């Protein structure tokens, strides 16, 4: 695990439910360093997500292509987060999940570019709700 991976080339995945403000952020670096955080709401209540184990990260590159492939055990998310709101959880178990995939790429020149499935208005902000562009219905989740 490592913090501040976003300061250089970093691939990110954000996961939340469609019914609540809490979400997870996962960071993956070309070095295979990684990070996982849980937020209570938009950029608030940040916690290291110790409930998730180290992901498998495979990096391959050549002159024409760069691939970073990772897998996470999302079923390890907080047990309370998988309960429905009536059971004292946050609704993770009974709602569709929203996914945001993004990348910060630092070129050899030092210039940085920002990539995402969707961007919010203004400067890049991968935490913004507009970036959670992909919906994972319950049937497609682990």
């Amino acid at each position: 695990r490592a913090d501040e991976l976003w300061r250089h080339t970093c691939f990110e995945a954000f996961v939340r439910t469609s019914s609540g403000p809490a979400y997870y952020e996962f960071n993956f670096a070309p070095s295979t360093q990684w990070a996982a955080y849980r937020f209570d709401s938009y950029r608030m209540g940040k916690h290291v997500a110790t409930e998730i184990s180290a992901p498998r990260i495979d990096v391959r590159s050549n002159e024409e292509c760069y691939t970073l492939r990772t897998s996470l055990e999302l079923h390890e998310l907080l047990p309370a987060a998988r309960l429905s709101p009536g059971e004292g959880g946050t609704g993770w178990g009974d709602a569709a999940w929203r996914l945001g995939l993004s990348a910060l790429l630092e070129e050899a020149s030092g210039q940085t570019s920002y990539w995402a499935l969707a961007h919010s208005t203004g400067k890049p902000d991968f935490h913004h709700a507009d970036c959670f562009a992909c919906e994972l219905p319950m049937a497609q989740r682990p």
Side-chain angles (χ1 to χ4, degrees):
R1 286 186 188 242
D3 289 321
E4 299 189 353
L5 295 175
W6 52 268
R7 292 191 177 271
H8 301 283
T9 295
C10 180
F11 301 90
E12 300 180 337
F14 293 83
V15 180
R16 69 173 178 88
T17 68
S18 56
S19 65
Y23 63 96
Y24 283 86
E25 173 187 358
F26 302 98
N27 303 153
F28 311 103
S31 65
T32 71
Q33 290 178 303
W34 65 283
Y37 306 101
R38 184 177 66 254
F39 290 83
D40 297 332
S41 61
Y42 175 72
R43 294 189 177 271
M44 300 295 292
K46 179 180 176 181
H47 310 279
V48 173
T50 57
E51 61 273 15
I52 192 110
S53 59
R56 290 187 305 258
I57 302 173
D58 179 47
V59 174
R60 297 174 192 234
S61 65
N62 59 43
E63 291 179 15
E64 298 176 3
C65 180
Y66 179 88
T67 305
L68 184 143
R69 184 175 296 172
T70 186
S71 61
L72 292 163
E73 300 292 336
L74 293 178
H75 67 277
E76 295 176 343
L77 299 179
L78 283 175
R82 290 194 302 267
L83 298 173
S84 68
E87 297 171 303
T90 58
W92 283 73
D94 61 353
W97 287 4
R98 305 289 309 171
L99 174 68
L101 297 177
S102 55
L104 179 149
L105 302 178
E106 182 181 37
E107 299 175 19
S109 67
Q111 185 174 354
T112 302
S113 59
Y114 302 90
W115 302 82
L117 292 176
H119 284 282
S120 60
T121 303
K123 69 179 187 173
D125 182 359
F126 300 144
H127 291 252
H128 193 279
D130 290 349
C131 295
F132 290 78
C134 181
E135 184 172 312
L136 300 176
M138 289 178 61
Q140 294 181 352
R141 296 198 318 245

